[in-house]
Amino acid sequence: MAARIRETSGDDLEVSHDINVTPFIDVILVLLIIFMVAAPLATVDVNVDLPGSTATPAPRPETPLFLTLKSDLSLAIGNDSVPRPAFAGVLDNRTKGDRQTRIFLRADKTVGYGDLMEVMNLLRAAGYLKVALVGLETTGRGGQAVPGTPAAGANPSSALGGSAAP
């Protein structure tokens, strides 16, 4: 409670019945800060279907180079199957040694994430850091999927240790 001093003489202090809201505001601000810090930590993982994308398609080069990881974990460059030991040599022949060529990587939906990362590591070891993931383009809720369209912004090259420049 607060006290008010009278201008008249006397030893009695008049009692003020007003509520002091300063401590109340302090408590509210502390709680607000606690909730702002704790809210991002309380996020829940959501199951997502990664091959689908609603992003606008990135412009395709005149002759895109597709690297396909099939469900049996075999690799194919274009339409030709490639054994893993000869992968870097065949890729260099296809790109004419140009390591700045963007490789469009597509994988079967049943391929595990670890297997996909192994292929991306093969690309990095071969010196190809510009990689675009290819997925199904969906037109929204319940829309039809368009196969083989690279999604815009689907450049995992930063995960490969390269630059994210197109």
Side-chain angles (χ1 to χ4, degrees):
M1 290 196 337
R4 191 180 309 171
I5 299 176
R6 274 192 271 173
E7 294 183 19
T8 60
S9 64
D11 292 336
D12 293 342
L13 292 178
E14 185 178 318
V15 177
S16 174
H17 298 285
D18 295 333
I19 297 173
N20 190 359
V21 294
T22 304
F24 177 70
I25 292 173
D26 290 342
V27 169
I28 296 297
L29 289 175
V30 168
L31 288 174
L32 177 67
I33 291 171
I34 289 171
F35 285 119
M36 286 173 55
V37 170
L41 300 176
T43 58
V44 178
D45 291 338
V46 178
N47 292 333
V48 293
D49 189 14
L50 289 178
S53 174
T54 58
T56 57
R60 272 191 179 178
E62 292 178 18
T63 56
L65 183 60
F66 287 102
L67 173 62
T68 306
L69 179 60
K70 299 177 187 176
S71 60
D72 62 354
L73 302 181
S74 62
L75 295 174
I77 297 177
N79 293 327
D80 305 323
S81 292
V82 177
R84 288 186 189 234
F87 172 73
V90 173
L91 193 58
D92 284 338
N93 287 340
R94 285 290 186 101
T95 62
K96 298 178 180 82
D98 182 15
R99 306 281 166 120
Q100 296 301 314
T101 303
R102 183 173 303 265
I103 308 297
F104 292 95
L105 178 60
R106 54 187 175 182
D108 192 87
K109 202 173 195 176
T110 60
V111 172
Y113 187 72
D115 297 321
L116 181 65
M117 288 305 296
E118 285 179 23
V119 172
M120 291 175 72
N121 287 333
L122 282 174
L123 283 168
R124 185 184 69 218
Y128 294 91
L129 301 178
K130 292 190 174 185
V131 178
L133 295 177
V134 178
L136 294 177
E137 177 186 347
T138 57
T139 58
R141 278 190 166 178
Q144 296 294 324
V146 179
T149 306
N155 184 357
S157 61
S158 60
L160 294 173
S163 68

